[in-house]
């Protein structure tokens, strides 16, 4: 069912984990602002083939190294995080 969505937001409600991400191959826009999740879950997002817009504002992130493998993300909102280094 979720594979039909073009965008999805979970502001403040956390992330859905690896199993849920398998059903999101067509997801283009994801808003996770103000969410709390393990930084390792960013690897899952990096593997979503259609994801072009990702909002991670206010997620208390200090690194985004796990997103380094993304081939599709072209718009990334990282406002109000504590990221100091953008290198993988």
């Amino acid at each position: 069912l979720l594979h039909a969505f073009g965008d999805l937001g979970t502001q403040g409600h956390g992330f859905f984990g690896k199993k849920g991400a398998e059903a999101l191959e067509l997801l283009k826009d994801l808003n996770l602002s103000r969410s709390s999740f393990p930084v390792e879950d960013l690897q899952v997002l990096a593997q979503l083939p259609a994801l072009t817009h990702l909002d991670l504002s206010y997620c208390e992130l200090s690194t985004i190294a796990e997103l380094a493998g993304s081939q599709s993300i072209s718009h990334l909102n990282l406002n109000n995080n504590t990221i100091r280094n953008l290198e993988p």
Side-chain angles (χ1 to χ4, degrees):
L1 177 65
L2 289 176
H3 68 278
F5 284 97
D7 64 317
L8 178 66
T10 65
Q11 299 91 333
H13 299 291
F15 187 52
F16 42 82
K18 294 180 181 181
K19 290 183 181 179
E22 293 172 2
L24 301 176
E25 292 182 5
L26 300 178
L27 185 67
K28 296 177 185 176
D29 189 312
L30 181 60
N31 186 337
L32 293 173
S33 63
R34 300 183 189 275
S35 296
S36 177
F37 51 87
V39 71
E40 294 81 16
D41 283 352
L42 293 177
Q43 293 174 345
V44 175
L45 299 177
Q47 296 173 15
L48 295 177
L51 186 63
T52 57
H53 291 74
L54 179 58
D55 187 342
L56 297 174
S57 58
Y58 297 92
C59 288
E60 300 180 13
L61 296 172
S62 60
T63 181
I64 57 165
E66 290 78 3
L67 286 176
S70 174
Q71 298 292 314
S72 60
I73 297 173
S74 58
H75 294 85
L76 181 61
N77 184 348
L78 297 171
N79 289 337
N80 293 293
N81 284 289
T82 58
I83 298 166
R84 302 265 186 246
N85 186 350
L86 294 177
E87 295 185 36

